[in-house]
Amino acid sequence: MEKECVFCKIIRGEVPSEKVLENEDLIVIKDINPKADVHLLIIPKKHIPSLREFKPEEADILGKMLLVSKELAKNFDQAKDGYKIAINVGRGGGQVIDHFHIHFLAGNLTGLP
Ligand code: AMP
Ligand code: ZN
């Protein structure tokens, strides 16, 4: 439900967030409960519930979301040596917010898969 979705609210500016980057397709914010020194969320502006709902014609959004990680890596020293990308899909996959997003993690990744 886009009206109630917390990430849609962040995109509309109705819920505060620490925004790192924004372009016409996506926003990047700091995760409110970081699991690493750097924990960012790459969120498409289009409300797509999870990876399972992606349509073939939306594949370019996925590509742009993955490639923006290169820009993020330049901006965070902890990511110079490398970083981790994670996607949780569905409750069984650990997804809590039903608006697709990619986790960007860097620095102190011990304990993460
Ligand atoms: P997932 O388990 O993949 O659905 O991840 C959801 C992530 O969103 C978790 O890491 C939460 O800490 C994070 N999160 C939840 N609400 C907010 C918020 N208002 N601002 C930033 N991050 C949030
Ligand atoms: Zn949404």
Side-chain angles (χ1 to χ4, degrees), residues 7-38:
F7 286 172
C8 282
K9 285 183 178 175
I10 285 174
I11 290 159
R12 290 197 297 264
E14 296 166 12
V15 163
S17 69
E18 267 198 80
K19 212 179 285 177
V20 168
L21 182 153
E22 174 168 17
N23 63 35
E24 60 173 336
D25 301 299
L26 57 88
I27 61 164
V28 181
I29 62 168
K30 292 191 178 172
D31 195 293
I32 208 167
N33 181 21
K35 314 279 189 308
D37 289 346
V38 179

Side-chain angles (χ1 to χ4, degrees), residues 34-92:
K35 314 279 189 308
D37 289 346
V38 179
H39 187 172
L40 310 175
L41 300 171
I42 305 168
I43 308 171
K45 288 190 171 171
K46 187 169 188 177
H47 179 91
I48 299 166
S50 87
L51 188 61
R52 292 184 291 208
E53 283 79 22
F54 261 85
K55 303 187 180 100
E57 60 268 28
E58 290 165 335
D60 65 316
I61 299 177
L62 270 178
K64 286 174 179 173
M65 289 177 73
L66 285 170
L67 287 172
V68 83
S69 68
K70 298 202 298 182
E71 302 306 315
L72 301 174
K74 282 183 208 157
N75 298 336
F76 289 89
D77 284 345
Q78 297 95 326
K80 291 266 188 302
D81 202 33
Y83 52 89
K84 190 181 292 293
I85 290 290
I87 300 175
N88 298 330
V89 186
R91 291 292 174 271

